[in-house]
Amino acid sequence: MLFAPDEVDEIINTVTNRVKATGVVPDRKNCWEYYMRQIRKNLHVCLCFSPVGDNFRTRALRFPALVNCTVIDMFQPWPQDALYSVGKRFLSTLDLGSEEERDVIERFLPFSFGAVNEATVEYRLQENRRVFTTPKSYLELIKLYSGLLEEKRSDVTAAIDRLDNGLTKLQHTSQSVAKLEEDLRIMLEDAATKKEKAEGIAEVVAKEKASVEVESANAQAESEQVAKIQKEVSQKQRDTEADLAKAEPAVEAAMSALDTLDQKDLSTCKGMLKPPPKLDEVFAATMCLLAGIMPSVVTKKNGQVKDTSWDAAKKQLMGNIKEYMTHLKDIKAHVDDNTINHANFKEVRKYIEKEYFNVETIKTKNQAAAGLCSFVLNIVQYYDIVVTVEPKRKALREANDQ
């Protein structure tokens, strides 16, 4: 029984007057039958089931009334206009850059959702398995994109702050080293003058040994002071070199990105007649970096790459993938030796400054291109650090020569 005895009594007492109004004897049986008729007439239950997984099929088998005693309404997929409208509404509060960039993103979300739906059909034909995508899946896609966008922006902001603090410390250290060098030069000159004077007095006035010893003691004190200053300069040098070593994580990340590349993946890219959007820009960025380094990259008289199209990239870069990988690894050595054309890094910035030029976005297009993207971003960061701290290196070499 669904109701307890006291609840049944309460229900019968409630409907007694209504039963009496119908002209029926309001006994317990008639009251209960009247209550049940009202329930059947007025109670409507809506059950919502998702086709995802086995739960719906299992419940339909266990409870046939779900099929036999209900009216089934199958919801059709959302049209493109509805997907676009929903995506636009949920993204309206996000900062997506210019209106053109916002429009591209808002149109890409329903496009990608539709592409997945098409892929599920092909998957069912090939594997004989169904994969369902529901409106909730689309909402989860928008939520995932919003979360990743916020997370990556926070990471970039933190990286900028960290780099800015490092550069500030390097500048302060450079100024301190320069001041110490100047003080050391003055003290060394002063010590040399006093020492020469003391030696002259010793030769001319042999009898004034006591005076000479005093002057020699003074010169010794000055020498000790100079030695102390030299020790401080050495300490500053070690601190400066430690700051310079902070540039190594960037180049290690770049080299690690190259190590993850597989020649087979690059060969797959070579076979593409038309690459996915933004994939060609990753290879174009590597062409800019290899200008003047890899012989097969054709350049203009001013050293810039002549043609950065996809066909040119396949011919000039992926014509010999092994040589392509070797020259990419050689870029660090050229940066360290200052033998690379600095215009290469100026040209590549027009690609890396684009919002979608990041490992996560490119990884959705191609795994190999994501590794190249990581290499480009980290080697440019390494180059920027090396160029910034080069004056400090020069100042330290001069201090060591002295």
Side-chain angles (χ1 to χ4, degrees), residues 71-291:
V71 176
I72 300 177
D73 187 1
M74 298 292 292
F75 290 94
Q76 300 300 319
W78 285 2
Q80 287 291 109
D81 292 342
L83 294 173
Y84 173 76
S85 177
V86 171
K88 185 174 182 179
R89 178 179 178 276
F90 279 93
L91 296 177
S92 61
T93 58
L94 298 180
D95 180 12
L96 300 178
S98 65
E99 290 299 325
E100 294 180 357
E101 293 171 342
R102 173 179 289 277
D103 183 65
V104 169
I105 295 171
E106 290 173 348
R107 294 186 180 278
F108 175 75
L109 287 176
F111 168 77
S112 63
F113 189 71
V116 171
N117 289 335
E118 295 174 0
T120 60
V121 175
E122 183 178 353
Y123 181 72
R124 180 175 63 84
L125 295 176
Q126 294 181 1
E127 303 293 336
N128 197 25
R129 295 184 62 183
R130 290 182 177 271
V131 176
F132 295 97
T133 56
T134 64
K136 183 179 180 182
S137 303
Y138 183 65
L139 297 178
E140 290 295 332
L141 170 64
I142 297 174
K143 181 179 179 182
L144 175 63
Y145 173 77
S146 302
L148 285 176
L149 179 62
E150 183 66 24
E151 178 183 350
K152 294 306 173 184
R153 281 179 174 171
S154 299
D155 293 343
V156 170
T157 301
I160 292 174
D161 293 340
R162 184 169 59 254
L163 181 58
D164 183 62
N165 293 335
L167 292 175
T168 301
K169 291 181 179 179
L170 290 175
Q171 291 174 354
H172 290 168
T173 304
S174 177
Q175 295 172 358
S176 300
V177 171
K179 185 176 184 303
L180 288 174
E181 288 177 350
E182 181 63 21
D183 294 342
L184 177 62
R185 184 183 63 80
I186 294 173
M187 290 182 179
L188 286 173
E189 292 177 355
D190 187 41
T193 301
K194 291 183 178 181
K195 183 177 180 180
E196 183 179 357
K197 181 179 179 181
E199 291 176 351
I201 294 174
E203 292 178 1
V204 176
V205 190
K207 294 182 180 181
E208 297 182 0
K209 183 177 180 181
S211 298
V212 172
E213 291 177 353
V214 172
E215 292 295 335
S216 297
N218 293 336
Q220 181 63 28
E222 292 293 339
S223 297
E224 292 175 355
Q225 183 66 20
V226 170
K228 181 180 180 181
I229 294 174
Q230 288 178 334
K231 184 177 179 181
E232 294 177 356
V233 171
S234 298
Q235 181 62 39
K236 288 292 183 181
Q237 179 179 359
R238 288 192 295 270
D239 295 341
T240 303
E241 291 174 350
D243 291 336
L244 293 175
K246 295 178 180 178
E248 292 303 319
V251 73
E252 289 178 0
M255 295 301 107
S256 297
L258 288 181
D259 292 338
T260 61
L261 293 181
D262 188 0
Q263 293 189 13
K264 292 182 180 180
D265 293 338
L266 291 175
S267 298
T268 303
C269 295
K270 180 180 178 182
M272 295 180 182
L273 295 178
K274 183 178 181 181
K278 308 177 183 61
L279 183 65
D280 53 341
E281 296 189 6
V282 177
F283 287 88
T286 63
M287 291 182 73
C288 293
L289 292 175
L290 291 173

Side-chain angles (χ1 to χ4, degrees), residues 326-363:
T326 301
H327 284 298
L328 285 176
K329 293 179 179 180
D330 290 341
I331 291 178
K332 176 185 179 297
H334 287 285
V335 173
D336 293 339
D337 299 337
N338 198 25
T339 56
I340 196 169
N341 186 357
H342 297 284
N344 293 3
F345 288 90
K346 183 178 179 181
E347 288 296 317
V348 80
R349 293 184 192 279
K350 65 184 180 182
Y351 296 104
I352 67 176
E353 289 174 353
K354 296 181 179 180
E355 182 179 356
Y356 56 77
F357 198 93
N358 57 75
V359 177
E360 289 72 20
T361 301
I362 301 302
K363 193 173 184 180

